[in-house]
Amino acid sequence: MMLDRRSFSGLMLAGAAAALLPRAARAQGQPARNVVLVHGLFADGSCWSEVIARLQAAGLNATAVQNPLTTLEESVAATRRVLARQEGSTVLVGHSFAGMIVSEAGTDPNVSALVYVAARAPDAGEDYAALAKTFPPPPASAGIVFDGDEGRLTEAAFLRDFAGDLPQARAKVLFAVQEPFRKALLAGRTTQAAWRAKPSFYAVSAEDRTIDPDLQRFMAKRMNARTIELPASHLSLISHPQEIAGLILEAARGAA
């Protein structure tokens, strides 16, 4: 079929416009083959191991960020370096404090969806500590101790309030490898809220003693997230890896 000059020009302009669309617009709604997972306080990248095994079995490329837990800016930078190594659409997942990192770094154009696992989800510029104070204080907060500038959980608080639904022997191993955080980390505020523009998913831990479950529900509802609720401690990614991996796979399929 012959095209007149006007029709040909229209097709050319449409093609050029599609090429100029932000990658974020093209990434959303598209299946993702990559997953980047970020840990929070009192943990390290290995806490995602059982989730990663399930994602790999499903054919996804999964990478855990070794979060430095020094400042929010440095933690976001570490996450962005890992995101930059991914080829194609990527689901960005954060546990606990790392929800702040997901909210900030999730604006990356290749990030197709966000998954929050018992995680902080502040709005841009929001004082998360002030928001948290509008809910009952979680028991784990009383168990934080400092050695100079470095903070960590006591063993009693870790076993009872952080990893309460894990076998004690497993929880003690996790306590032994917890990564201390710097005080400066807690002072950081996000400048962006990626969940306002990206499909978002949230796993609420109903038995959480580290982030109040009602605060989690509030944040999940505010972001209009696809939400599941688990009878879990703060470490649902370890006690319920199948359900957490399932939620991530749902996000990776492009479901909103």
Side-chain angles (χ1 to χ4, degrees):
M1 184 175 70
M2 298 295 291
L3 293 175
D4 59 29
R5 181 176 295 178
R6 179 176 295 178
S7 298
F8 179 76
S9 298
L11 286 172
M12 292 295 290
L13 287 171
L20 291 172
L21 276 175
R23 285 188 296 165
R26 299 202 298 269
Q28 290 184 46
Q30 298 297 315
R33 64 177 301 271
N34 308 300
V35 180
V36 169
L37 309 111
V38 193
H39 69 84
L41 306 184
F42 321 121
D44 64 13
S46 67
C47 67
W48 292 107
S49 296
E50 294 185 41
V51 172
I52 288 171
R54 288 163 170 80
L55 297 177
Q56 290 175 337
L60 295 181
N61 172 45
T63 307
V65 175
Q66 292 296 348
N67 184 355
L69 300 178
T70 48
T71 66
L72 179 60
E73 292 78 11
E74 290 175 353
S75 295
V76 169
T79 300
R80 285 176 171 154
R81 287 193 294 272
V82 175
L83 285 172
R85 298 201 300 266
Q86 311 307 305
E87 295 184 3
S89 296
T90 300
V91 175
L92 182 59
V93 186
H95 172 243
S96 191
F97 179 88
M100 296 186 67
I101 299 166
V102 166
S103 293
E104 186 78 15
T107 57
D108 184 286
N110 271 354
V111 172
S112 59
L114 313 170
V115 180
Y116 294 79
V117 180
R120 301 184 180 196
D123 207 343
E126 184 172 41
D127 184 344
Y128 175 83
L131 172 64
K133 286 179 180 177
T134 64
F135 293 82
S141 298
I144 299 175
V145 294
F146 285 93
D147 298 319
D149 190 45
E150 290 189 340
R152 57 183 175 81
L153 276 180
T154 65
E155 183 172 15
F158 193 102
L159 300 182
R160 180 185 61 242
D161 302 324
F162 188 68
D165 61 345
L166 298 183
Q168 188 173 79
R170 177 73 186 280
K172 284 188 172 183
V173 171
L174 294 170
F175 167 75
V177 300
Q178 71 166 306
E179 184 177 350
F181 68 91
R182 297 292 180 91
K183 285 182 179 179
L185 183 68
L186 303 181
R189 291 195 192 184
T190 57
T191 63
Q192 304 177 92
W195 49 264
R196 288 199 171 275
K198 302 287 179 84
S200 299
F201 299 73
Y202 201 110
V204 172
S205 287
E207 299 171 6
D208 204 318
R209 292 170 60 86
T210 301
I211 296 180
D212 185 82
D214 282 336
L215 173 55
Q216 295 179 40
R217 295 180 186 110
F218 166 81
M219 293 184 290
K221 183 178 180 180
R222 181 172 66 171
M223 68 171 69
N224 195 30
R226 154 78 173 107
T227 304
I228 63 172
E229 188 156 324
L230 301 171
S233 73
H234 195 56
L235 288 182
S236 59
L237 67 169
I238 296 176
S239 62
H240 291 77
Q242 187 67 36
E243 293 91 334
I244 298 301
L247 187 66
I248 295 170
L249 287 170
E250 187 177 337
R253 287 193 294 267

